[in-house]
């Protein structure tokens, strides 16, 4: 056990829970979300588009682009780019959304 003071909190960032037992995950208060088929980043992008202060036709166009291009782009990056710092798909799409938001 790790003794913590009342004002202290501990955050766990775990890259892979494939080998964790359910007891380990629940004790640490971890929520595991599968990223199969892009579930995480698709949910993030949908939420991000809804928060934008653009007219509905622009939001619809953004949604169409995010349906069409990310899978191909992520695959291309995986096969052709030299990645210095490994990132999961959702992080790359979050960066993309951030860049688009600041245009």
């Amino acid at each position: 056990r790790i003794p913590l003071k009342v004002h202290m909190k501990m955050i766990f960032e775990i890259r892979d829970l494939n080998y964790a037992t359910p007891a380990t995950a629940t004790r640490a208060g971890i929520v595991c979300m599968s990223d199969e088929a892009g579930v995480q980043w698709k949910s993030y992008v949908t939420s991000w588009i809804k928060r934008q202060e653009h007219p509905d036709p622009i939001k619809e166009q953004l949604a169409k682009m995010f349906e069409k291009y990310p899978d191909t782009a992520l695959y291309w990056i995986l096969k052709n780019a030299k990645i210095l710092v490994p990132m999961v798909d959702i992080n790359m799409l979050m960066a993309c959304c951030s860049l688009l938001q600041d245009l």
Side-chain angles (χ1 to χ4, degrees), residues 19-30:
Y19 304 105
T21 64
T24 302
T26 55
R27 284 187 191 122
I30 297 169

Side-chain angles (χ1 to χ4, degrees), residues 77-92:
I77 290 169
L78 179 67
K79 294 297 179 187
N80 299 301
K82 182 177 179 181
I83 300 173
L84 299 177
V85 178
M87 293 190 332
V88 292
D89 293 350
I90 190 170
N91 286 52
M92 287 191 245

Side-chain angles (χ1 to χ4, degrees), residues 62-82:
L62 276 170
K64 286 179 186 176
M65 288 184 192
F66 274 106
E67 285 175 18
K68 184 175 181 179
Y69 294 110
D71 288 323
T72 307
L74 291 170
Y75 181 76
W76 185 91
I77 290 169
L78 179 67
K79 294 297 179 187
N80 299 301
K82 182 177 179 181

Side-chain angles (χ1 to χ4, degrees), residues 17-56:
L17 286 176
N18 288 337
Y19 304 105
T21 64
T24 302
T26 55
R27 284 187 191 122
I30 297 169
V31 176
C32 181
M33 293 178 63
S34 174
D35 195 28
E36 292 180 22
V39 173
Q40 287 181 352
W41 70 258
K42 288 179 182 174
S43 297
Y44 176 82
V45 166
T46 302
S47 173
W48 177 79
I49 291 172
K50 286 180 182 177
R51 289 192 314 266
Q52 299 309 301
E53 297 178 1
H54 297 297
D56 287 342

